């Protein structure tokens, strides 16, 4: 199993990326890595003999920054760690590609350099959030496609279902369409068209339309990329806003501070349960290869989890399963 | 000041509605009410002489249920408490109308029976959520319009700005467009068209595009009704999900329970700060009259707050100000 890692992607690159790589190598004896980035930096990082033998360094001197126009960056920075990594995946030099770099550049790069699975019109970015079941809910799409067609939503449903069965081991994942109400006739024109298409997919446990508040009650939530992104970030923002309020209140006085100490472990548990980096990064489903986008602010633990997730997608043959399902159904 | 109240709207009607009415009458000596609902029930409720003299009862024997098709219900149930209330507002028999009934029926009814402000293409439902500033953020639109045009978003911005200045007393409310990123070129086709229109509004403190997580950092968040509704309910759902986790953790063992007791007041404060019924209900901005939709699950306190909010909108002449601004600008 060989995973390609972009050493220069993310707010904390390269330090946390390299640390995450080392931890993954230590944890998984069958893992080897291809790491893209400046050669001198990487050869120094992986100088220990045991690890050096399992790491291939591919020199990529430049970085695509978070604020660069994605398509332009992909076309111009052919020697960047991101583009080189995607080219290596396309060339079959590794089984999967992991980056914590710019979402836009990763999406454009994956489309331009790796391409789509035949039959998939639009790939989707599909992060996993905590849910009530504790196994996570996939939010697909979360920002890859701004103006979607009903067919796109149907394909998101198909891909999300395969992922949650294969990687999360759910035998019958509940899939909902993000909408303003639960009744079939609710929503905008897109949802009116998408509902019967998703309902018509064989073998899908379609629970119907769900509201923004119900996202924690299902296993897959299908949305267009615009609404899905707003939904995802509203969840993030609300969790952060509430955490801020809690912190403020629990440190408001000395008695409160002392009281808070007695329930410290409770808040550590809550934090862990709300931490979506535990699930790894967001797969780009629909790309003809395993591409995973870790959170920009990923720490070593998050990168480690994303590598582990990539290994799972390769072992579970998620891309092959999507291809096969498309041939059967669409 | 005369407020029309629908006694049969909401999950807890009529009991909590009537209690809220009584509390409002007790608190505001200049207030009088017109209450629509079954006569016998209402005359019994307001039998105390002091209150009876300030309450006009208009017999409306039927109720529009939450699950009825809105337009059909409005057309057929002309003797319902909702339709009667809207007719009274239209006829000038009161200064504002308050209901906690079906959102769809309230919207359809307000459009069909009261009508729009001349120049407003689509009225919007605009609830207020807690924000970091503590003065609340208006989310406009939250579900009245599924497929919006750029002009609608511009008008939402104009109306939201007037409301937050007039009712919340903000001198320069920060207004953002809900989008997937903060850069001007981000978003779907609708947002690309809407950005320059909103930017071009004179006298608006337009902070640009905002992400779902930034909604707590502004005073007005403009969105199409579909995305706005998902955003609103994602905020609600996340707050509820986190509250559930906190409760679960704080009651997981006896030491935890005892520890939690010592910080009980902190959680009471947080609950109060997250309680959006403190801001009242959601105004239907763009309707040619003051119409307020309280939350379906409103308790007496929420209904009281919604009546107070209606009084503020009448005193602040919000409808007249919108009309005037449209004549000046559009």
């Amino acid at each position: 199993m060989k995973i390609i890692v972009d050493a220069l992607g993310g707010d904390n690159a390269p330090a946390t990326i390299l640390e995450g790589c080392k931890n993954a190598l230590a944890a998984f004896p069958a893992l080897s890595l291809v790491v893209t980035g400046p050669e001198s930096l990487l050869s120094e990082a992986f100088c220990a003999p045991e690890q050096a033998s399992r790491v291939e360094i591919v020199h990529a001197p430049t970085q695509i920054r978070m604020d660069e126009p994605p398509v332009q960056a992909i076309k111009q920075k052919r020697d960047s760690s991101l583009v080189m990594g995607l080219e290596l995946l396309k060339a079959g030099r590794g089984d999967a590609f992991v980056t914590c770099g710019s979402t836009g550049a990763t999406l454009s790069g994956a489309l331009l350099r790796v391409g789509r699975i035949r039959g998939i019109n639009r790939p989707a970015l599909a992060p996993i959030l905590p849910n009530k079941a504790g196994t996570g809910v996939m939010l697909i799409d979360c920002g890859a496609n701004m103006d979607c067609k009903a067919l796109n939503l149907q394909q998101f449903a198909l891909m999300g279902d395969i992922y949650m069965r294969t990687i999360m081991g759910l035998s019958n994942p509940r899939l909902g369409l993000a909408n303003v109400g639960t009744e079939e006739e609710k929503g905008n024109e897109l949802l009116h068209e998408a509902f019967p298409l998703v309902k018509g997919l064989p073998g899908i446990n379609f629970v119907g339309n769900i509201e923004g508040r119900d996202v924690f009650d299902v296993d897959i939530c299908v949305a267009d990329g615009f609404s899905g992104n707003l939904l995802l970030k509203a969840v993030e923002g609300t969790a952060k806003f509430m955490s801020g309020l809690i912190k403020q209140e629990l440190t408001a006085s000395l008695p409160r501070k002392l009281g808070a100490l007695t329930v410290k472990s409770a808040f550590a548990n809550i934090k862990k349960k709300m931490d979506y980096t535990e699930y790894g990064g967001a797969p780009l489903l629909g790309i003809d290869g395993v591409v995973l986008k870790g959170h920009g602010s990923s720490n070593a633990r998050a990168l480690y989890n994303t590598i582990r997730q990539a290994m799972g997608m390769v072992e579970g043959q998620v891309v092959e399963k999507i291809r096969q399902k498309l041939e059967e159904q669409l």
Side-chain angles (χ1 to χ4, degrees), chain A:
Chain A
M1 175 79 64
K2 198 180 269 185
I3 309 290
I4 308 160
V5 179
D6 170 5
L8 299 182
D11 306 336
N12 311 314
T16 56
I17 305 296
L18 299 176
E19 195 191 332
C21 285
K22 287 179 187 181
N23 296 345
L25 286 168
F28 308 111
L31 174 69
S32 64
L33 297 177
V34 182
V35 187
T36 61
E39 191 166 20
S40 57
L41 185 98
L42 299 181
S43 51
E44 198 180 316
F46 298 104
C47 58
E50 196 284 319
Q51 295 211 329
S53 66
R54 287 158 62 201
V55 177
E56 185 186 337
I57 292 164
V58 175
H59 181 57
T62 62
Q63 183 190 29
I64 293 181
R65 292 187 318 274
M66 292 294 188
D67 59 348
E68 288 186 69
V71 178
Q72 195 181 323
I74 292 297
K75 288 188 176 163
Q76 289 175 353
K77 291 192 166 173
R78 306 192 66 137
D79 61 350
S80 62
S81 56
L82 178 61
V83 174
M84 297 279 282
L86 288 164
E87 296 280 10
L88 290 166
L89 179 69
K90 176 75 178 177
R93 297 266 300 275
D95 301 301
F97 174 64
V98 167
T99 180
C100 300
S102 148
T103 306
T106 306
L107 282 167
S108 305
L111 268 170
L112 291 168
R113 302 293 173 191
V114 185
R116 291 167 295 165
I117 295 173
R118 193 187 164 95
I120 291 290
N121 295 48
R122 308 279 285 266
L125 187 68
I128 293 167
L129 298 182
N131 68 350
K132 288 181 190 163
T135 44
V137 49
M138 169 170 274
L139 201 43
I140 180 169
D141 175 31
C142 265
N145 307 286
M146 289 298 102
D147 290 283
C148 284
K149 294 197 168 62
L151 174 68
N152 305 138
L153 267 54
Q154 187 193 34
Q155 295 187 341
F156 299 164
L158 181 146
M159 297 192 292
D161 182 71
I162 290 174
Y163 184 96
M164 294 307 276
R165 282 175 199 269
T166 308
I167 304 302
M168 306 309 284
L170 303 182
S171 60
N172 203 23
R174 296 158 298 173
L175 183 145
L177 269 175
N179 203 332
V180 302
T182 55
E183 300 86 351
E184 184 167 344
E185 70 278 4
K186 288 276 178 176
N188 55 16
E189 281 176 32
L190 174 65
L191 269 288
H192 293 158
E193 280 181 51
F195 192 97
L197 291 186
V198 174
K199 198 177 174 183
L201 280 173
I204 301 271
N205 179 13
F206 180 45
V207 299
N209 289 323
I210 59 168
E211 299 185 57
R213 67 168 77 98
D214 308 325
V215 66
F216 305 103
D217 295 312
V218 294
D219 305 303
I220 304 150
C221 172
V222 172
D224 67 278
F226 183 81
S227 319
N229 187 284
L230 278 176
L231 184 56
L232 169 74
K233 289 177 182 163
V235 171
E236 271 182 47
T238 307
K240 210 173 163 187
F241 179 54
M242 273 188 78
S243 303
L245 281 181
I246 292 169
K247 200 171 175 182
Q248 198 181 31
E249 286 292 332
L250 290 183
T251 56
S253 66
L254 188 61
R256 286 264 184 89
K257 281 182 195 167
L258 294 172
L261 275 179
T262 64
V263 289
K264 210 176 161 185
S265 61
F267 287 98
N269 284 357
I270 293 164
K271 200 176 168 188
K272 200 172 150 75
K273 283 183 185 169
M274 291 296 291
D275 180 13
Y276 53 94
T277 64
E278 280 297 312
Y279 297 105
L284 261 69
L285 295 179
I287 293 293
D288 198 13
V290 175
V291 177
L292 276 157
K293 162 72 182 87
H295 206 279
S297 62
S298 287
N299 56 20
R301 172 87 190 150
L303 197 266
Y304 167 90
N305 284 329
T306 310
I307 291 176
R308 193 184 53 179
Q309 185 189 13
M311 294 170 68
M313 284 182 71
V314 175
E315 275 165 15
Q317 301 191 296
V318 169
V319 172
E320 290 73 14
K321 282 181 183 160
I322 293 173
R323 201 182 286 128
Q324 197 184 331
K325 202 83 169 178
L326 280 173
E327 282 168 14
E328 284 171 26
Q329 294 191 349
L330 297 179

